[in-house]
Amino acid sequence: MHSGGTHRQGAWRRRGRAGGALAAAAVLAVLAGWGPGVAGAGAAACAHADSGIDDATADQLANAVRCLINDDRKARDRHRLDNDGKLRRAASRHSKAMFAQNCWTHQCPGEPKLERRIRDTGYLNGAKRWSFAENFGCADTPEAMLSTWLQNNFARGNIRDRAFRDVGAVAVRDQVPASGCDADTAVTFTVVFARRSP
């Protein structure tokens, strides 16, 4: 089990509708130096919540962070977020872009913006209104990643936003972009949150 180390993260949020933006906020929040994460109320119920790169597969780590997000939402009477394969693809594409270019931001050079990445998956097909957000970061365990996100207003707001209904999460082991995290122990997580309505 890995629980210490440096944790870095980012958070971004946007709301929109066909024909124009309802509100737009582009926020990059990067934190470093947070201590080990403290187990949340639902950590024990989420398999691999405290697992590190040697203890779980990438899919198990992604499922754990998604489970922890839903447990945090449940504790605050928020809707459970459905696992969405299209949003997972959008998250995966961003992770790959970060690794390919060794960048640590919401839009690497030459990479489409988050809205385009989501659109390209077909998630917004037929939608007239939508909202979406992205959190990313690296930490030694899913539990530590959630703890770090919850210490940042924007990342926490994405996790607890009442509007969101769907989520896609990916985790990558043994590979960390220019983030300051230890590649020997850290897992890189990317999570995309969204809602669409006709």
Side-chain angles (χ1 to χ4, degrees), residues 125-141:
N125 288 355
K128 292 183 180 176
R129 298 170 69 96
W130 59 85
S131 59
F132 54 83
E134 177 180 79
N135 285 3
F136 70 85
C138 52
D140 294 344
T141 66

Side-chain angles (χ1 to χ4, degrees), residues 1-8 34 36 48-58 61 104 137-145 171-177 179-189:
M1 175 178 124
H2 303 283
S3 59
T6 300
H7 312 292
R8 291 170 62 89
W34 293 108
H48 301 289
D50 62 352
S51 294
I53 61 173
D54 297 327
D55 308 316
T57 67
L61 294 168
W104 192 248
C138 52
D140 294 344
T141 66
E143 197 173 74
M145 188 74 265
V172 181
R173 305 181 310 162
D174 305 321
Q175 201 175 5
V176 179
S179 60
C181 287
D182 184 348
D184 291 331
T185 60
V187 179
T188 300
F189 296 92

